[in-house]
Amino acid sequence: MKKFPLLSLRLSCVGLLLTCLPTLSMANDKLRILTWADYVPKDVAAQFTKETGITVELTLSNNEEMISKLRATGGAGFDLVQPSQDRIAAPAVEFGIYKAIDLSKINTANFIPEMWESSKQVTTVNGKTYGVPFYWGTDGLVVASADIADYSDLCKPAVRGKVAIRLKRPSLIAMAFSMGLDPFKAYATPKLYEQIMQQAGDKLIACKKNYKYFWESKDQLLNDLRTGELVAAQMWDSGGWKLNSENPHLKFIAPRSGALGWIDAYALPAKGKNDTAAYAWINFVTRPEIAGRMATSARTFTVIKQAEKFMAPKMQQQFQETFSAAALKNIHWYPAIPAGLEELDGKILDKIKAAP
């Protein structure tokens, strides 16, 4: 994915949007959404139901689980899912778990044009688009120490037993970048990609004793950073800025080698039963005032024009404190991951987990 002039895009003012929800008559209908925690505030779901008569049923998950659930059912069980956009094209081709988006049913004028077009490139296969972007953010470091500026610094003896990361592929990707390698450029050459990931995996194993744990519970991670049990951890900007709001001593930083940039998108499961409700939801949440409320609740940003007008000013301040102009240009945006690479990552992650 190409890099964006994100800050300027967010602050741009393009004029009044006239997007509105189509008139619907689907009382007592249900929309089943598979998404991340904190992505759908209760008041937003309630307003959607009030306007449309459609009730919202949420199931919380993550990228790996979303793909696994849909693979197990052939794309059934949900009407709308929200994976990261780099995880859409390959599963659509390899597993057939998604159906193409009918772009004529989406109010595309609501989106920041550059991000909409770039997202289409990432999620389009054989001329058909499978993803609609919504949230975006970064993966970096929360630190309580000025001595930690990059992922490789988590291996310093001084922080032994006081740092944490997730045992997921972003940890491998991030460690590779901190070692001066570029796994994204190697996507097209699997052998080179495997070599890079193995080097990153070996580095993680070499400093495994530095990690207090590989975190899975965000609540546990936040609490340990609050109490000083941890002095640094890999995490998303939303969690880092939440901690910074509570304690200015804790800061979310863009690593020296660059933060990882992601976009979470909407996709239609291949056997979803209520596409009409799914399109209604997409057009509802991409209204700027709704997108701004959701972004504030999730503590992350959206690709919707003028949503920033409805977001908490504190978020803009924290974003600017984290990202200098140079750091913004140095964000590594996830390209669409080719089929087969995640299996390779999984083997390396298993090796790290099993290592003493």
Side-chain angles (χ1 to χ4, degrees):
M1 183 186 303
K2 69 179 181 181
K3 299 179 179 178
F4 305 101
L6 291 172
L7 184 58
S8 60
L9 287 172
R10 278 204 344 273
L11 299 177
S12 66
C13 184
V14 186
L16 180 66
L17 296 177
L18 300 178
T19 306
C20 60
L21 189 70
T23 300
L24 297 168
S25 56
M26 293 181 285
N28 301 319
D29 211 342
K30 179 187 293 185
L31 172 64
R32 302 164 301 167
I33 304 178
L34 182 62
T35 186
W36 301 75
D38 303 325
Y39 269 20
V40 181
K42 290 182 178 178
D43 64 316
V44 169
Q47 183 175 338
F48 179 73
T49 300
K50 184 178 181 180
E51 292 188 14
T52 65
I54 305 170
T55 58
V56 178
E57 181 179 284
L58 297 178
T59 300
L60 305 184
S61 188
N62 57 47
N63 275 320
E64 292 78 14
E65 287 183 357
M66 289 182 199
I67 294 174
S68 178
K69 287 178 182 294
L70 294 178
R71 284 186 66 181
T73 60
F78 302 94
D79 306 304
L80 191 64
V81 296
Q82 201 164 12
S84 297
Q85 67 173 15
D86 59 303
R87 308 289 188 91
I88 293 177
V93 173
E94 190 173 8
F95 309 128
I97 58 176
Y98 299 125
K99 66 180 77 171
I101 303 286
D102 183 347
L103 297 182
S104 70
K105 296 181 179 178
I106 303 292
N107 292 324
T108 57
N110 287 5
F111 295 82
I112 296 170
E114 292 86 348
M115 299 190 84
W116 169 257
E117 290 300 326
S118 183
S119 180
K120 277 181 61 181
Q121 292 179 22
V122 173
T123 62
T124 293
V125 179
N126 296 326
K128 296 181 178 179
T129 301
Y130 288 81
V132 176
F134 188 67
Y135 285 120
W136 71 267
T138 61
D139 199 333
L141 292 168
V142 179
V143 300
S145 167
D147 292 334
I148 305 297
D150 210 340
Y151 289 95
S152 54
D153 293 335
L154 299 179
C155 296
K156 290 181 175 179
V159 295
R160 184 166 181 168
K162 297 180 180 179
V163 300
I165 61 171
R166 295 176 76 212
L167 194 56
K168 302 287 185 182
R169 69 183 305 267
S171 298
L172 290 172
I173 297 286
M175 185 57 81
F177 275 113
S178 76
M179 297 168 68
L181 306 170
D182 191 336
F184 292 163
K185 286 185 177 178
Y187 267 15
T189 50
K191 285 190 176 180
L192 176 59
Y193 178 83
E194 183 175 9
Q195 291 174 6
I196 290 174
M197 289 295 96
Q198 285 182 344
Q199 289 182 63
D202 290 343
K203 178 74 172 180
L204 288 170
I205 290 173
C207 63
K208 187 174 178 180
K209 292 182 179 178
N210 270 37
Y211 302 114
K212 184 177 178 65
Y213 48 69
F214 295 120
W215 70 267
E216 294 185 0
S217 166
K218 188 172 67 175
D219 289 339
Q220 180 190 19
L221 179 71
L222 295 179
N223 285 334
D224 282 352
L225 285 163
R226 290 185 182 106
T227 60
E229 288 290 314
L230 297 173
V231 297
Q234 172 206 27
M235 78 174 311
W236 300 291
D237 47 21
S238 56
W241 290 329
K242 176 180 174 63
L243 288 172
N244 177 255
S245 296
E246 301 170 3
N247 179 358
H249 181 62
L250 295 170
K251 297 184 181 299
F252 176 76
I253 65 169
R256 185 173 53 240
S257 58
L260 301 179
W262 49 263
I263 295 178
D264 288 342
Y266 289 112
L268 297 176
K271 296 180 181 177
K273 296 179 178 179
N274 202 342
D275 290 353
T276 300
Y279 284 116
W281 176 263
I282 292 172
N283 288 324
F284 172 75
V285 300
T286 52
R287 286 158 38 181
E289 72 278 13
I290 302 296
R293 285 166 53 192
M294 295 176 71
T296 298
S297 177
R299 292 179 177 271
T300 190
F301 296 95
T302 77
V303 302
I304 305 305
K305 289 188 298 188
Q306 300 192 36
E308 71 274 5
K309 291 182 176 179
F310 304 91
M311 294 169 60
K314 179 71 173 179
M315 291 179 63
Q316 297 284 349
Q317 175 194 333
Q318 291 174 318
F319 181 89
Q320 293 174 21
E321 288 176 352
T322 297
F323 290 102
S324 64
L328 198 59
K329 291 180 180 177
N330 198 32
I331 293 176
H332 304 292
W333 292 94
Y334 283 102
I337 182 170
L341 294 192
E342 287 192 273
E343 285 77 6
L344 188 156
D345 295 334
K347 293 178 181 178
I348 297 174
L349 291 170
D350 287 343
K351 181 180 176 182
I352 296 170
K353 186 176 182 179

